């Protein structure tokens, strides 16, 4: 975890540093000339409720925007997460210390509507990678090879219920999980 820790610290510095490719010295001088009251209000990770909260405030007039000021969407969510030590994409390996069961599934964090978990069985690497697809609508599924059960833990922005991506009447295609009787799980 030491490496990950160092990377997060570096990323946090990057998020608040000016974009170095641009005229660096000029942007520094302009920044110093600005009254601090013009600093834009930044919504932090806990303020994010809908996708609309993932818009940066933009830079104050006459300054070069930082990533924190100008980033939007999933990129912004990642930066806000890094500033609070929350790894939005969570590239850490999944819990491989046990077999996931229906009662106690292996949790898979996801910031999006869908997340794939790569299963290699239990013990680890006892079968080749099987991708188990999880979604917000169907957060639990199991590996068709070894039966490991995975469950999505959604950590992304909350839908306000008026989103544009509601498909009324749309039915998820059936998968293996829909046909397995619970007593065989
Ligand atoms: Zn498996």
């Amino acid at each position: 975890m030491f490496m990950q820790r160092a990377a997060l610290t570096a990323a946090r510095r990057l998020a608040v540093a000016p974009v170095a490719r641009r005229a660096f010295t000029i942007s520094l001088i302009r920044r110093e000339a600005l009254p601090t009251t013009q600093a834009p209000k930044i919504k932090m990770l806990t303020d994010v409720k809908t996708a609309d909260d993932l818009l940066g405030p933009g830079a104050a007039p006459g300054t070069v925007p930082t990533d924190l000021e100008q980033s939007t969407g999933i990129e912004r969510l990642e930066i806000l997460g890094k500033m609070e030590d929350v790894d939005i994409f969570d590239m850490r390996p999944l819990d491989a210390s046990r077999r996931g069961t229906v009662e106690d599934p292996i949790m898979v964090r996801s910031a999006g509507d869908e997340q794939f978990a790569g299963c290699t069985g239990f013990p680890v690497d006892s079968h080749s990678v099987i991708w188990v697809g999880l979604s917000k609508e169907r957060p639990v599924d199991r590996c068709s090879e070894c039966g490991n059960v995975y469950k999505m833990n959604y950590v992304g922005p909350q839908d306000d219920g008026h989103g544009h991506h509601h498909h009324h009447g749309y039915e998820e295609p059936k998968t293996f999980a829909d046909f397995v009787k619970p007593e065989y799980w």
Side-chain angles (χ1 to χ4, degrees):
M1 283 303 109
F2 171 76
M3 285 295 290
Q4 190 190 0
R5 199 75 193 175
L8 286 175
T9 306
R12 196 184 300 133
R13 280 199 202 100
L14 267 181
V16 294
V19 180
R21 285 192 307 277
R22 305 197 186 160
F24 191 68
T25 50
I26 292 172
S27 74
L28 279 182
I29 291 164
R30 283 179 176 169
R31 255 167 207 286
E32 282 168 1
L34 277 174
T36 49
T37 49
Q38 284 193 21
K41 164 89 176 77
I42 302 281
K43 285 189 178 179
M44 303 314 285
L45 190 61
T46 47
D47 301 324
V48 175
K49 300 288 183 278
T50 72
D52 292 338
D53 295 324
L54 289 173
L55 289 174
T63 67
V64 175
T66 64
D67 285 353
L68 180 60
E69 288 166 344
Q70 73 174 353
S71 66
T72 61
I74 198 80
E75 183 190 0
R76 182 163 199 82
L77 189 64
E78 183 186 19
I79 289 176
L80 295 179
K82 279 172 175 166
M83 291 175 69
E84 296 179 32
D85 263 3
V86 178
D87 187 358
I88 291 299
F89 295 116
D90 201 354
M91 298 304 284
R92 286 171 298 176
L94 299 170
D95 181 7
S97 65
R98 61 190 178 86
R99 181 185 299 280
T101 64
V102 176
E103 293 77 23
D104 194 11
I106 304 294
M107 299 306 289
V108 183
R109 284 160 52 100
S110 172
D113 292 348
E114 290 181 318
Q115 182 76 41
F116 283 86
C119 182
T120 63
F122 183 79
V124 178
D125 291 337
S126 55
H127 66 69
S128 54
V129 178
I130 302 282
W131 292 99
V132 181
L134 309 171
S135 68
K136 279 176 78 176
E137 287 73 28
R138 190 174 49 222
V140 181
D141 203 354
R142 54 183 12 212
C143 174
S144 56
E145 183 73 25
C146 70
N148 239 338
V149 179
Y150 294 90
K151 182 176 184 183
M152 178 195 279
N153 175 25
Y154 180 73
V155 296
Q158 293 302 312
D159 197 337
D160 62 2
H162 300 283
H164 305 292
H165 40 262
H166 281 281
H167 303 289
H168 294 288
Y170 172 76
E171 205 175 315
E172 285 274 321
K174 298 278 186 232
T175 69
F176 179 82
D178 293 307
F179 299 99
V180 177
K181 293 179 182 172
E183 55 263 40
Y184 291 119
W185 283 13

